[in-house]
Amino acid sequence: MWLVICLTVLGLLLLAIEVIVPGMIVGALGLLALGGAIAAAYAGFGVVWGTFALGIILLVVSLGFALWLYLFPRTFIGRRLMLNSTSGVKVPDTVRDALVGKTGIALTSLRPSGRAEIEGKRYDVVAEGGLVEMRSPIRVIGSDGMRIVVRAERA
């Protein structure tokens, strides 16, 4: 009985330490300890108690993981590690719709996505029909959801 309890506590502690010391070695050892606790429960107490131990360990690990997912982003370390904002510029729908028919220049090669300058402002765009070379003239032909769709303009 003590072997099952000790291996379970050791496994849970090692999984908790894995959050602080990443590298998967400590977490793998924790999972092995939990597996050993389950195997010891099956071997020492039979199928019924082994299955009970398996269920309890799975429940505790699942609840611990859910709690970690909830609390970790709110900690100092979590806030430092996680991305808080989007990296792109948000363009309102009305601005995207107003760009239809406007012309501009591809700032990067559009393969099919990239950056373009339209009316003096830079936008993330998607080219219709394949590659558009850098510095090529483009025309906005539509907006599809969050994308501004452009086509190479023939000079």
Side-chain angles (χ1 to χ4, degrees):
M1 177 71 148
W2 287 107
L3 178 63
V4 174
I5 293 172
C6 288
L7 284 175
T8 302
V9 170
L10 177 67
L12 293 174
L13 282 174
L14 288 173
L15 286 178
I17 291 171
E18 175 66 28
V19 173
I20 300 167
V21 183
M24 294 187 353
I25 294 173
V26 177
L29 291 174
L31 289 176
L32 284 173
L34 290 175
I38 293 167
Y42 273 109
F45 301 106
V47 175
V48 173
W49 288 105
T51 305
F52 181 73
L54 171 66
I56 294 295
I57 288 173
L58 285 177
L59 180 68
V60 169
V61 169
S62 298
L63 288 175
F65 183 67
L67 185 66
W68 178 79
L69 282 177
Y70 177 75
L71 292 178
F72 183 70
R74 292 164 176 78
T75 64
F76 174 74
I77 295 171
R79 285 191 307 271
R80 305 269 295 169
L81 291 176
M82 300 184 92
L83 181 64
N84 296 1
S85 63
T86 59
S87 60
V89 176
K90 292 185 179 185
V91 180
D93 292 337
T94 55
V95 172
R96 280 194 303 277
D97 293 338
L99 290 175
V100 175
K102 306 287 183 184
T103 60
I105 295 179
L107 296 175
T108 63
S109 295
L110 306 180
R111 310 176 184 203
S113 64
R115 303 273 294 163
E117 184 176 308
I118 304 165
E119 292 189 333
K121 294 185 179 177
R122 295 175 180 219
Y123 297 97
D124 291 323
V125 298
V126 177
E128 178 190 63
L131 175 70
V132 175
E133 294 294 328
M134 186 167 61
R135 298 284 176 213
S136 298
I138 54 153
R139 179 175 298 276
V140 179
I141 60 169
S143 64
D144 179 22
M146 296 299 290
R147 303 182 313 159
I148 299 171
V149 183
V150 300
R151 181 182 295 154
E153 184 80 356
R154 302 294 174 225

